Amino acid sequence: MTRTETSDAPHPPGEPAKPSGPDGGASDGRSLSHGLKQRHLSMIALGGVIGAGLFVGSGAGIAAAGPSIVLAYAASGALVMLVMRMLGEMSAARPASGSFSVHAERALGPWAGFASGWIYWTLLCVAIATEATAAAKIMTGWLPGTEQWMWVALFMILFCASNLAAVRNFGEYEFWFATLKVLAISAFLVLGVLAIAGLLPGTDAPGSSHLTGDGGFFPTGTDGLIVGLLASVFAFGGLETVTIAAAESEKPVSGVAKAVRTAVWRIALFYVGSMLVIVTLMPWSDESVKSGPYAAVLDYVGIPAAAQVMNVVVLIALLSAMNANIYGASRMSYSLVERGEGPAFLNRLSPQGVPRYAVVASSFFGFVAVLLNIFWEKTVFTWLLNMVGAATLVVWGFIAVSQLVTRHRLEREAPEKLVVRMWLFPGLTIVAVLAILAVLLLMLREGDTRTQLAFTAGLTVVLAAVGYARQRTRPRPAVTEDA
């Protein structure tokens, strides 16, 4: 039988709460698989911070903020560290495939689980569309005789099929994608540091000339720093996947605890470190930096075909994000249905413990969104993008408030489950809530982000209202341990 939220029957720390079959799948077809190994989870956590947004979107942030983009990424990175620590605390205490949606339901009520879960599902499906389209554009650039829709269809079918087969397939894809991304960003950082030191052939140590010589460290003032901050915040989306995947790992508790504890140095090294390398080596106002900062640096240090090298890296990052988003969307929708918050037909598992109908539904919506992106990019798809424009911040807000409530409960009822603890609780939790509210207010300053905030607020209010109405009219189902 499935364990309910109120059941605290003991089981070995860090071990799955349910039995699994010989292939890591559910032995009775009624629970999610535990087929992810620790190496999968470690690389999902490591590679999850290296998204396509880092490689593609950082150029606009640098153009807006200049060298102060380093501070923008440091500030947004600090916020993300706090959010991940809070989420890690709750996920290590009670691993669940619904992650923050389950935690929000337990802490605040079914309406919160419904709203946060479905807005995140919508965000992932729209992200699938943007990533599939961007990946297809790279492929048509390499093979001009091919059509964009052909590559979109190929990628969607490939990742849908792999996610349908077994969770271990998702883990293997992400393991190798993450390995390649980590190697790429590590090589970039090593080359960058050597170039800054003047140790590469044909390069001279730039010193601080680019940091202070072209308008100073804050060349565009406070306004530019704010724009850069907003750009940097949304580059961190997708980190939540590791806590979703942890519920299907061999040792959920220890796995998520390890992943969260290493988040600090990963964020500091990959994001803040690479921004520092870029603005130290290149003039921030250089047009090549705006269009492709990583390619610009590789070209500066003399890497042949730098633009194409970065295209390969970006393609890997896009495919990795597609794979992770199909996985995350399917598990989130399955968890919602398990808790009575979605269509019942999605609540079916394959003999390997895969929520196949949820995988197909998430992939189908993603494919529809791709078609909207291709044929109605300036109308329907723009509406979709605006609806999820601030969704990441909404999710982070639910995480912070849920942790504030959950921590007090855990300390009172089950302190032994606090394997991961939020730093300086409740002080830093409150700081995180205030920081999220501050970023939302800053979004009101810019026309585009103001529109996104309005659309996202509308979607959030609608989902919260629907969830609250359902909560008032339906009995609350038991929340399972891996829902």
Side-chain angles (χ1 to χ4, degrees):
M1 289 195 47
T2 308
R3 301 201 308 134
T4 64
E5 179 186 12
T6 57
S7 172
D8 287 316
H11 61 279
E15 296 296 332
K18 293 186 174 69
S20 59
D23 191 35
S27 59
D28 59 0
R30 294 170 55 197
S31 62
L32 290 174
S33 163
H34 289 285
L36 290 177
K37 300 183 182 298
Q38 183 58 48
R39 67 181 180 89
H40 294 145
L41 204 61
S42 297
M43 290 309 294
I44 290 170
L46 193 59
V49 301
I50 311 172
L54 174 63
F55 298 116
V56 179
S58 55
I62 294 171
S68 66
I69 192 67
V70 176
L71 295 182
Y73 269 89
S76 55
L79 173 58
V80 172
M81 290 177 197
L82 297 180
V83 171
M84 285 301 296
R85 188 75 182 188
M86 290 185 284
L87 182 55
E89 177 182 285
M90 294 185 290
S91 297
R94 288 170 175 163
S97 65
S99 187
F100 55 83
S101 175
V102 172
H103 306 318
E105 178 168 334
R106 287 169 171 156
L108 308 174
W111 71 269
F114 181 92
S116 61
W118 284 117
I119 197 172
Y120 190 68
W121 182 82
T122 306
L123 168 65
L124 294 185
C125 289
V126 174
I128 290 169
T130 59
E131 291 147 3
T133 304
K137 286 179 179 178
I138 292 176
M139 296 304 299
T140 54
W142 288 339
L143 302 168
T146 57
E147 296 290 337
Q148 184 172 307
W149 68 266
M150 296 168 53
W151 293 107
V152 168
L154 176 63
F155 295 145
M156 291 298 299
I157 292 170
L158 173 65
F159 292 122
C160 178
S162 69
N163 274 277
L164 282 172
V167 69
R168 190 163 57 188
N169 284 16
F170 159 74
E172 284 298 326
Y173 271 115
E174 281 307 292
F175 178 83
W176 292 109
F177 280 145
T179 299
L180 292 171
K181 288 191 293 183
V182 169
L183 289 175
I185 195 72
S186 299
F188 174 85
L189 290 171
V190 169
L191 288 171
V193 170
L194 291 175
I196 290 172
L199 299 178
L200 290 182
T203 62
D204 297 318
S208 61
S209 60
H210 298 314
L211 293 174
T212 60
D214 188 9
F217 192 74
F218 297 92
T220 56
T222 305
D223 289 343
L225 180 61
I226 291 172
V227 174
L229 177 64
L230 294 177
S232 64
V233 164
F234 297 106
F236 289 96
L239 287 173
E240 307 84 3
T241 302
V242 69
T243 59
I244 296 174
E248 293 186 77
S249 65
E250 294 174 321
K251 298 182 178 181
V253 174
S254 59
V256 74
K258 182 178 179 181
V260 169
R261 285 170 179 151
T262 59
V264 173
W265 71 263
R266 286 185 278 115
I267 291 172
L269 180 64
F270 295 146
Y271 279 84
V272 181
S274 61
M275 288 302 106
L276 185 58
V277 165
I278 292 168
V279 296
T280 301
L281 282 178
M282 304 289 297
W284 68 271
S285 56
D286 192 305
E287 194 62 33
S288 65
V289 172
K290 181 178 180 180
S291 59
Y294 289 83
V297 169
L298 292 181
D299 186 62
Y300 172 80
V301 299
I303 300 298
Q308 292 306 319
V309 170
M310 282 312 304
N311 272 339
V312 172
V313 175
V314 171
L315 178 64
I316 291 170
L318 289 167
L319 296 181
S320 172
M322 279 186 66
N323 186 40
N325 287 341
I326 290 175
Y327 170 83
S330 65
R331 270 38 175 199
M332 182 59 71
S333 57
Y334 170 78
S335 173
L336 287 161
V337 172
E338 275 282 273
R339 292 175 275 139
E341 303 293 356
F345 76 91
L346 297 179
N347 185 22
R348 297 184 184 181
L349 295 172
S350 70
Q352 291 75 35
V354 174
R356 51 192 173 189
Y357 288 94
V359 170
V360 171
S362 300
S363 300
F364 177 77
F365 187 88
F367 191 78
V368 169
V370 169
L371 296 178
L372 296 176
N373 190 15
I374 294 174
F375 296 109
W376 294 284
E377 181 182 6
K378 301 299 182 184
T379 53
V380 182
F381 189 70
T382 298
W383 297 342
L384 275 177
L385 283 176
N386 284 333
M387 280 196 295
V388 298
T392 298
L393 290 168
V394 172
V395 168
W396 291 354
F398 274 111
I399 290 171
V401 176
S402 299
Q403 189 267 339
L404 197 61
V405 175
T406 301
R407 173 65 173 268
H408 288 300
R409 288 183 184 172
L410 287 171
E411 287 180 335
R412 183 175 62 251
E413 300 169 4
E416 72 280 359
K417 290 188 174 183
L418 286 169
V419 179
V420 177
R421 290 176 178 266
M422 177 60 180
W423 304 301
L424 299 177
F425 179 83
L428 285 184
T429 297
I430 295 171
V431 168
V433 172
L434 295 176
I436 292 167
L437 291 175
V439 174
L440 289 171
L441 289 175
L442 289 175
M443 291 184 70
L444 293 172
R445 291 170 52 100
E446 304 294 324
D448 290 344
T449 54
R450 186 163 55 244
T451 300
Q452 292 172 7
L453 185 59
F455 272 79
T456 303
L459 177 62
T460 304
V461 168
V462 169
L463 288 175
V466 172
Y468 185 73
R470 290 171 62 89
Q471 178 178 319
R472 292 291 301 269
T473 58
R474 294 162 59 97
R476 180 174 179 175
V479 179
T480 59
E481 284 292 323
D482 67 346

